Amino acid sequence: MFSPNQTGRCRSLLTLSLLGLLGSVLDVTRGRAAQDEDYYMQELLSRELYFRVQGSEDPAPSSQPPDARSGERASPKTAKKGLKDQREKASQTDKMTSDAKTAKPGNKKVEKNKKGNLKTPNSISEGEGHYKPPREECPPMGLENLKIDDFQLHASTMRRYGLGAHRGRLNIQAGLYEDEFYDGAWCAGRTDPLQWFEVDARRLTKFTGVITQGRSSLWSSDWVTSYKVLVSNDSHTWVTIKNGTEDMIFPGNAEKEVPVRNELPVPVIGRYIRVNPRSWHNGGGICMRAEILGCPMPDPNNYYHRRNEVTTTDNLDFRHHNYKEMRQLMKVVNEMCPNITRIYNIGKSHNGLKLYAIEISDNPGEHELGEPEFRYIAGSHGNEVLGRELILLLMQFMCQEYLSGNPRIRHLVDETRIHLLPSINPDGYEKAFEVGSELGGWSLGRWSEDGLDIHHNFPDLNSILWEAEAKKWVPRKVFNHQVPIPEWYQRKNATVAMETRALIAWMEKIPFVLGGNLQGGELVVTFPYDMTRTPGRTREQTPTPDDHVFRWLAFSYASTHRLMTDASRRVCHTEDFAKEDGTINGASWHTAPGSMNDFSYLHTNCFELSMYVGCDKFPHESELPEEWENNRESILVFMEQVHRGIKGVVRDVQGRGIANATISVEGIGHDIRTAADGDYWRLLNPGEYKVFARAPGYTPSSKVCEVGYDMGATRCDFIIGRTNLSRIKEIMEKFGKQPIKLPVRHLQHRLRRRRLGT
């Protein structure tokens, strides 16, 4: 006779068997082989049989699984696993499962644990004889990164369309106001325990966990405090996850932003999974953002999966790297390609971490005459980590391809001095890295250690220039370029991050021509100005004098990205940037005084843009190969744009380069200056331009320069001579004589007498 617990367990197994049989008859899982379900059911039956062989019952799981306590985050160990570790763990799991099936009483293999005590395999305790199945780390299914589309999300009811099931995605952001078309969660239309949120995986999936958040809102406080989880193979008959013989209640959220992760006591296989809220915040409603953890089961007949699968052939290190691992990886790249790479640091973070950059060039450490300088920066917001990993992948890729003789990469390296700074805010990154890719929420690690947004921590030079323009001081009293940093900003007690000061010193030291800073949380490229010209306006089209050039640069990245310009793709949060070809003027999105992009344009020669490279700020490691494929071509194409426009050297009649000479283009109210050796680069779209070269004490010179459509900057050199006045001053100073300085009235009197002939 079976005990009551065994009887209940047999009933559960019988129910699952019937579900599997029904699924194979109705073929509800899109063409999967019927024997697949039999195989998975045999696995469950084998586990049941194992318990009987051991002479013990399947222990009731804890009511609170690891990392599922209310309001707490998962430990870093369970939240982060490298791909290599996952492969090793998977192989160990297969071995342990095999041993468990063949194990017999009195014939158990034993091993020593770290403390030297004997330990049985498969986590079977000698004294208790309980089997604890090994945990498998399954990745997110893709609610946050949009791999799960809107048609796969369903709910019992919804408060309104803007709070429908399609909005129940982890970390999705709402608009500024309530009742917008795009809101910040799924919210049930009724407040009772019969509501549910459902995900259709479209194939058999091993579900291992659920992550939940409350509603993203400035005005409302809505979140679920506990819930049940149900699984089905046909969306009609549902099995509730049990805690022994009773339905398991999972603890939910304690507030609306911090994600809470719950692991299922035992992985469950099915096609559909539901979250059934049981309690919610007092005074609020049933609102939820969620992510499901699950591993797709092998199913070669699933056309939908094959059609959407993206793979990469690049042999790169696709994993997240903490500070130490990032530094080690940069060292490995340097050792692989010592002739074209150089590692240096530009300063330190608030916590003393060095801000490492790597240079890729055919002559590392040297500025070559006529060779433009390019930079990529990532990690100004520490929790936006995809850009950081893309830069680390880029340096590996360029090293490997250069060694293999790839002509495109060799040309880039030989003709460009490239600087890659993968993490400008390592302090913030370490905070986000510690909790893991799904548990940091939207903002943990975003700011510097002293609470500053590094990307918007630069001096507001826009207001200085625009005020001077209003007073008609430009260009006589105030230049339209190289706007000086105000004195107050340079004081030691100014609210300026150490990282920002290091960036400014770096920008002033190297004559960068073009740069991109990689960010996350959206799919769009933004370009200056980032600040609205009209005071009080939060959104306003605010173009620079080089608006046509910036639009081309932004489009060069967006158009070659796999997703940015796809009109059929779902919006990340509230803005449909695909309608604008994946680009937008920063100020017309939202005003941001003191941005890195505006500062770079107004204080240096560098044209800087922001690339938001993914909806998910911190994608799971398993997503990195696909994200690399999404962005690889864009990253390379944008770098190549540094060779578009005109370039040249401004020299005197003796052939010496003139530093800080001004290069002006007729019709464009923004000038640039020559570097220390007299060379310059001016980004321009194809066309014919009248270009001027000026320098204090020299006679201005001009010429017409034509920019073609083919890649490669047009050569446009200048030779300018000294003015008569400057030559006289130079001669008199050389011989120790000073020019006679007569009062203006006396000079005018002498000129008048000469005209009268007296």
Side-chain angles (χ1 to χ4, degrees):
M1 295 294 293
F2 292 105
S3 66
N5 286 342
Q6 291 173 323
T7 301
R9 198 158 36 255
C10 288
R11 289 174 181 170
S12 299
L13 288 169
L14 181 59
T15 301
L16 289 172
S17 300
L18 291 173
L19 286 174
L21 179 61
L22 180 63
S24 62
V25 172
L26 298 178
D27 194 22
V28 296
T29 52
R30 290 183 177 262
R32 67 184 185 285
Q35 59 266 30
D36 287 347
E37 279 192 29
D38 296 336
Y39 171 78
Y40 301 133
M41 198 56 62
Q42 289 172 8
E43 289 290 313
L44 294 173
L45 290 170
S46 298
R47 180 177 294 176
E48 181 73 11
L49 178 62
Y50 175 79
F51 292 131
R52 294 181 186 176
V53 170
Q54 293 297 322
S56 62
E57 297 182 4
D58 184 4
S62 169
S63 61
Q64 287 196 352
D67 306 320
R69 295 178 295 279
S70 178
E72 294 186 7
R73 301 184 178 91
S75 67
K77 293 182 179 179
T78 59
K80 300 297 303 168
K81 291 289 181 183
L83 296 179
K84 182 179 179 181
D85 295 338
Q86 289 182 6
R87 288 194 295 269
E88 293 176 353
K89 188 171 185 178
S91 63
Q92 292 173 1
T93 299
D94 293 340
K95 182 179 183 301
M96 292 162 67
T97 304
S98 175
D99 291 342
K101 291 180 181 178
T102 57
K104 297 180 181 180
N107 189 29
K108 298 177 182 176
K109 298 178 182 179
V110 296
E111 61 178 350
K112 289 187 177 183
N113 61 16
K114 291 182 179 179
K115 294 183 179 180
N117 300 322
L118 292 177
K119 179 183 177 182
T120 58
N122 309 316
S123 301
I124 303 173
S125 170
E126 287 284 353
E128 300 175 358
H130 289 170
Y131 173 80
K132 296 182 180 179
R135 299 301 306 178
E136 181 176 1
E137 287 287 335
C138 281
M141 290 178 56
L143 276 75
E144 182 177 9
N145 64 19
L146 309 185
K147 289 189 99 173
I148 297 292
D149 64 39
D150 289 353
F151 299 105
Q152 294 175 258
L153 304 178
H154 309 280
S156 52
T157 60
M158 63 181 177
R159 194 175 302 177
R160 54 184 172 78
Y161 180 78
L163 293 167
H166 63 291
R167 301 297 292 174
R169 300 172 181 272
L170 191 72
N171 285 320
I172 202 165
Q173 299 297 294
L176 295 176
Y177 308 104
E178 293 288 276
D179 302 329
E180 289 197 351
F181 186 74
Y182 296 110
D183 220 316
W186 160 68
C187 289
R190 297 194 298 270
T191 308
D192 60 55
L194 300 178
Q195 306 306 305
W196 46 263
F197 175 79
E198 177 185 310
V199 180
D200 175 7
R202 287 181 171 166
R203 62 179 299 177
L204 281 180
T205 300
K206 182 185 292 183
F207 300 114
T208 63
V210 177
I211 301 172
T212 60
Q213 270 177 318
R215 177 184 176 185
S216 170
S217 172
L218 296 174
W219 317 102
S220 303
S221 296
D222 303 300
W223 61 83
V224 171
T225 56
S226 67
Y227 57 88
K228 293 181 182 180
V229 176
L230 302 87
V231 178
S232 172
N233 199 46
D234 60 3
S235 79
H236 298 293
T237 305
W238 294 84
V239 175
T240 305
I241 302 300
K242 300 286 185 180
N243 176 19
T245 58
E246 298 181 354
D247 294 349
M248 186 168 185
I249 304 296
F250 293 90
N253 298 85
E255 56 91 63
K256 57 188 174 185
E257 286 299 337
V258 178
V260 173
R261 169 175 168 164
N262 283 311
E263 293 183 358
L264 306 186
V266 176
V268 180
I269 296 173
R271 170 175 168 174
Y272 303 88
I273 185 169
R274 272 185 183 177
V275 178
N276 168 220
R278 307 301 297 175
S279 62
W280 41 91
H281 174 60
N282 289 336
I286 298 177
C287 294
M288 176 182 292
R289 291 176 286 171
E291 180 63 86
I292 306 298
L293 305 179
C295 299
M297 304 309 294
D299 191 356
N301 297 321
N302 192 302
Y303 169 74
Y304 175 83
H305 178 69
R306 292 202 314 270
R307 183 182 58 187
N308 292 277
E309 190 173 12
V310 177
T311 58
T312 182
T313 58
D314 296 325
N315 183 24
L316 308 175
D317 189 14
F318 292 107
R319 63 189 179 94
H320 290 298
H321 300 79
N322 62 20
Y323 180 78
K324 181 179 179 181
E325 293 166 341
M326 177 192 76
R327 187 175 57 183
Q328 291 173 341
L329 179 61
M330 295 174 76
K331 184 179 179 182
V332 168
V333 172
N334 177 241
E335 290 174 348
M336 284 180 60
C337 297
N339 295 330
I340 62 167
T341 62
R342 177 179 70 99
I343 300 173
Y344 64 99
N345 76 82
I346 69 167
K348 291 185 178 181
S349 71
H350 186 275
N351 288 342
L353 300 178
K354 292 182 179 179
L355 307 176
Y356 286 107
I358 191 167
E359 176 192 339
I360 304 178
S361 171
D362 57 345
N363 287 297
E366 296 181 19
H367 170 74
E368 297 182 67
L369 189 71
E371 186 170 284
E373 310 248 4
F374 177 92
R375 68 169 181 251
Y376 268 132
I377 300 172
S380 57
H381 300 144
N383 64 332
E384 296 171 7
V385 307
L386 178 55
R388 171 192 179 110
E389 295 306 326
L390 288 176
I391 288 183
L392 293 177
L393 292 168
L394 175 62
M395 62 180 67
Q396 299 173 63
F397 177 79
M398 294 193 72
C399 173
Q400 292 180 7
E401 295 299 304
Y402 188 89
L403 293 177
S404 66
N406 184 324
R408 183 185 188 185
I409 300 302
R410 280 190 169 267
H411 181 267
L412 258 177
V413 173
D414 293 342
E415 302 298 326
T416 320
R417 191 181 181 202
I418 301 166
H419 303 259
L420 306 177
L421 180 61
S423 183
I424 191 57
N425 183 10
D427 299 345
Y429 174 83
E430 293 300 305
K431 289 181 181 179
F433 181 84
E434 184 179 357
V435 300
S437 62
E438 288 78 54
L439 300 180
W442 189 250
S443 60
L444 180 66
R446 173 184 176 89
W447 298 281
S448 66
E449 185 66 23
D450 44 357
L452 299 174
D453 186 332
I454 294 174
H455 185 69
H456 299 132
N457 189 222
F458 292 80
D460 172 15
L461 304 184
N462 304 59
S463 298
I464 296 174
L465 177 63
W466 295 339
E467 183 179 351
E469 288 178 347
K471 295 179 179 179
K472 301 188 183 303
W473 289 352
V474 178
R476 293 178 179 270
K477 293 184 179 180
V478 177
F479 295 119
N480 63 14
H481 66 290
Q482 302 282 345
V483 180
I485 298 173
E487 186 272 334
W488 65 264
Y489 185 88
Q490 304 180 57
R491 296 172 186 165
K492 289 185 178 181
N493 61 349
T495 309
V496 183
M498 292 182 61
E499 297 87 346
T500 311
R501 295 187 189 276
L503 275 175
I504 291 176
W506 186 49
M507 293 176 177
E508 292 177 332
K509 181 180 179 181
I510 299 176
F512 292 112
V513 180
L514 178 63
N517 55 84
L518 305 185
Q519 303 192 47
E522 262 298 351
L523 272 173
V524 67
V525 180
T526 70
F527 52 89
Y529 289 121
D530 289 336
M531 179 181 173
T532 57
R533 184 181 285 260
T534 304
R537 294 288 296 272
T538 58
R539 292 188 177 192
E540 180 183 58
Q541 188 80 16
T542 311
T544 67
D546 285 289
D547 189 58
H548 292 295
V549 177
F550 273 118
R551 288 183 180 275
W552 167 256
L553 293 171
F555 185 71
S556 71
Y557 193 99
S559 62
T560 50
H561 190 278
R562 288 187 61 253
L563 300 175
M564 277 189 188
T565 55
D566 183 359
S568 64
R569 73 172 178 87
R570 187 196 182 282
V571 300
C572 291
H573 301 285
T574 62
E575 304 279 353
D576 188 1
F577 294 115
K579 294 189 302 184
E580 305 293 335
D581 291 328
T583 69
I584 192 170
N585 170 250
S588 65
W589 183 14
H590 56 79
T591 186
S595 75
M596 184 189 299
N597 296 348
D598 289 2
F599 173 84
S600 181
Y601 180 68
L602 293 176
H603 185 68
T604 75
N605 290 338
C606 185
F607 286 38
E608 181 101 8
L609 294 85
S610 292
M611 292 79 176
Y612 292 79
V613 292
C615 300
D616 188 351
K617 287 186 175 184
F618 199 147
H620 191 271
E621 277 185 345
S622 60
E623 300 298 323
L624 292 179
E626 182 171 347
E627 293 293 355
W628 168 246
E629 287 297 314
N630 289 342
N631 287 276
R632 178 184 60 189
E633 182 64 17
S634 301
I635 288 173
L636 296 176
V637 166
F638 185 74
M639 278 198 293
E640 291 169 338
Q641 303 312 304
V642 76
H643 295 285
R644 184 176 295 280
I646 61 174
K647 67 176 181 179
V649 182
V650 179
R651 297 184 174 92
D652 61 18
V653 292
Q654 283 77 34
R656 296 171 297 193
I658 302 173
N660 287 319
T662 300
I663 302 297
S664 305
V665 178
E666 187 175 65
I668 301 178
H670 180 80
D671 304 334
I672 64 165
R673 296 190 186 181
T674 57
D677 297 327
D679 47 351
Y680 76 92
W681 306 262
R682 182 54 164 99
L683 297 177
L684 292 168
N685 286 342
E688 192 174 85
Y689 302 91
K690 188 173 183 180
V691 185
F692 299 84
R694 298 182 179 90
Y698 291 86
T699 303
S701 177
S702 68
K703 62 173 57 177
V704 175
C705 305
E706 185 175 352
V707 178
Y709 288 90
D710 295 335
M711 187 60 66
T714 300
R715 190 82 187 197
C716 197
D717 295 324
F718 291 89
I719 297 177
I720 55 178
R722 303 293 296 271
T723 63
N724 291 333
L725 181 59
S726 64
R727 292 175 62 191
I728 291 171
K729 287 183 177 180
E730 183 180 352
I731 292 171
M732 296 188 73
E733 289 176 358
K734 181 178 180 181
F735 292 97
K737 297 179 181 180
Q738 298 298 323
I740 301 172
K741 296 181 180 179
L742 297 175
V744 175
R745 287 182 181 178
H746 186 60
L747 286 172
Q748 292 175 344
H749 179 67
R750 291 181 60 180
L751 287 172
R752 193 178 301 113
R753 290 180 61 185
R754 285 181 181 177
R755 291 195 194 103
L756 296 174
T758 59

